[in-house]
Amino acid sequence: SRIRIMKLWHSVAVVLFAVLIAVPLFSPKHVFNPLVLKKIANDAVAAGGNSTVIVNRVMASMKEAYPQWTVPEPGHAWIFNVAGGAMGSMTILHASLSEYVIIFGTAVGTEGHTGRFLADDWFTILYGEQWAHTAGVLDKEIYRPGDQHHLAFGETKQYKMPDECWALEYARGNIPSMLPFGVFSIFFNTVDFITLWDTVKWTAVQMIDN
């Protein structure tokens, strides 16, 4: 009957969701080291230049440090991202079930919710500043070029980029569980399905490859 088929599909969906949650947590595949990424960012910042020069230098250094795991430079695509009320653009350097590495930022500033994830997130500033606020702490955190902001597993903050700001972002944990946060605003706010397609396409290609 139709009800039985619907129950079967519901059971299949629950099992698949459980697998997507469990596999990256209990069988993690970690390629990247946040300390190495911080050094790559610091070296790029120390060499100087505007935001474009620094970001391009980081992408080239990432390919040199992780040739097998980083998208080659001609393959970089910049995509808008609206999540937690904040808007910026990103390019995906690597994505798998247990890790992603992106360049994320904005030329005009933004503010929003970090999200609360089954993952650790390291946000290394390349250009500009990021401010952060933890509930109950009345002083803001300030992260400048070369600083690495660690959002621990299960934690959340308010954050703001008061002006132009770009960062090398690395997440480690359950990456599929983070994806709804990155696309829900498309359905309920921007209705930008071209961005949705680009986000899903580039993320899926990377996850399948890795």
Side-chain angles (χ1 to χ4, degrees):
S1 68
R2 181 177 297 179
I3 293 177
R4 184 175 297 176
I5 292 174
M6 289 179 63
K7 286 182 177 180
L8 176 61
W9 278 112
H10 180 265
S11 299
V12 170
V14 169
V15 170
L16 287 175
F17 183 75
V19 169
L20 285 174
I21 292 293
V23 169
L25 290 178
F26 296 105
S27 301
K29 176 184 176 183
H30 298 152
V31 174
F32 298 91
N33 184 327
L35 296 179
V36 174
L37 270 57
K38 186 176 189 299
K39 185 178 187 309
I40 288 173
N42 285 343
D43 289 346
V45 169
N50 61 23
S51 57
T52 301
V53 170
I54 292 173
V55 166
N56 287 339
R57 188 179 292 134
V58 166
M59 290 194 290
S61 297
M62 286 293 298
K63 186 60 183 174
E64 183 178 342
Y66 298 98
Q68 183 180 353
W69 304 106
T70 305
V71 176
E73 193 166 345
H76 293 156
W78 286 92
I79 309 165
F80 274 127
N81 177 259
V82 181
M87 181 173 181
S89 61
M90 66 176 181
T91 185
I92 301 170
L93 305 185
H94 174 91
S96 69
L97 293 177
S98 57
E99 293 178 299
Y100 75 67
V101 182
I102 65 173
I103 303 289
F104 174 80
T106 171
V108 298
T110 192
E111 178 180 8
H113 188 289
T114 60
R116 190 186 301 273
F117 304 118
L118 301 174
D120 285 273
D121 187 277
W122 291 268
F123 202 79
T124 309
I125 306 302
L126 305 176
Y127 190 89
E129 285 187 358
Q130 184 199 44
W131 300 349
H133 165 230
T134 300
V137 179
L138 304 188
D139 296 322
K140 68 183 176 186
E141 305 163 26
I142 301 177
Y143 298 92
R144 298 182 173 91
D147 293 341
Q148 189 173 72
H149 180 190
H150 179 208
L151 184 69
F153 186 107
E155 292 186 356
T156 188
K157 296 181 183 180
Q158 176 190 11
Y159 79 95
K160 180 175 184 176
M161 296 170 165
D163 203 335
E164 181 180 9
C165 181
W166 300 95
L168 177 64
E169 181 177 0
Y170 169 51
R172 175 191 289 178
N174 188 288
I175 303 307
S177 70
M178 302 175 73
L179 297 180
F181 177 78
V183 299
F184 269 16
S185 287
I186 291 174
F187 295 100
F188 302 108
N189 187 359
T190 66
V191 199
D192 180 1
F193 293 109
I194 293 176
T195 291
L196 174 64
W197 167 248
D198 288 340
T199 302
V200 172
K201 177 182 69 175
W202 285 101
T203 302
V205 166
Q206 280 290 292
M207 284 187 167
I208 292 170
D209 286 346
N210 296 311

